[in-house]
Amino acid sequence: MHDLVTLGPWLRRFLSEHIVTERNLARNTRSSYRDTFSLLLPFISRKLRKPVDRLAVRDLSTQHVLQFLAHLEEDRGCSARTRNQRLAAIRAFARFIGSRDPAHIEWCGHIRAIASKKSMQQPVGWLARPEMEAMLAVPDRKTPRGRDEYALLLFLYNTGARVSEATQLKVRDLQLEHGNRGHDLVTLHGKGGKTRQCPLWPETKAVLAQRVLGRAAENAVFVSRLGTPFTRFGVYRLIERCAARVPALAGRTITPHVIRHTTACHLVLAGVDINTVRAWLGHVSISTTNIYAEIDITLKAQAVALCEVGQPQLGRSWKNDKDLMAFLKSL
């Protein structure tokens, strides 16, 4: 009975069993949930002046959760999106307890009733083609380190891969020896255990083939100057350093996700349909990809021109289209 009241055993089951085995959540999601409670429990412990290991489930009250969310925004400087992300983890934990112990159903309902905070959709940051080409020109390709950095930047631009997908890429995930018989491909392991394949440009294939020559299938594709696999922090630092060397990007924050947006935007501007872009980026819902349909004023101007008042209508009326009428009558 004591274990049903104490917070610790519930949290241990939630983090080590439920989200791993039952939900099979992505590694980054599990880390986010862990970080949420690493911040939340000490916060409540200080409020109640009670050791963390003695906290009860009901100590995680609505009032304390709201105070914690306010602390994230006001004291830690987190955005509304981060606040909502932490709240989602707390709600999932409450749902886990409420579904297994009827005595906590009321408490669960109160926690899950805490509303998410509305956040403004940030405009998509991306690079024009000359800016992206300037970024690619920064690494010194006369040195081994410069060639490694160039290969990583080119790969991110080619595939629109997430940072985790690039850092976890193994040599076995590359299919580079197809020549004229097929496409050179890379298999990316994305969020939620999903995989997708992306074609590689000949230039990308050439530089990657040089980088992985002689490596075992289980080795990482992208390695740092120390010979260890690139980390998320290492990729961020690389892109920051390259962006700082491009005068046109002065004052702008360039991250790996900006490179991912750049890939999507350039695909849209090249006339690739939005569903293909969705599959390219590994989005589950096309609604996530629709933000790229509004990226460029040129596309909007073209759309306005199609419905401009006073413009002559092109094409024949369907009534005069004999081929169409014959087709309809044949059905």
Side-chain angles (χ1 to χ4, degrees), residues 262-287:
T262 299
T263 302
C265 293
H266 289 182
L267 288 172
V268 171
L269 292 175
V272 178
D273 70 275
I274 204 70
N275 197 48
T276 301
V277 177
R278 179 200 63 79
W280 194 292
L281 298 181
H283 288 160
V284 175
S285 172
I286 198 170
S287 61

Side-chain angles (χ1 to χ4, degrees), residues 228-239:
T228 57
F230 257 102
T231 63
R232 293 174 61 90
F233 178 76
V235 178
Y236 272 84
R237 287 290 299 126
L238 166 63
I239 292 178

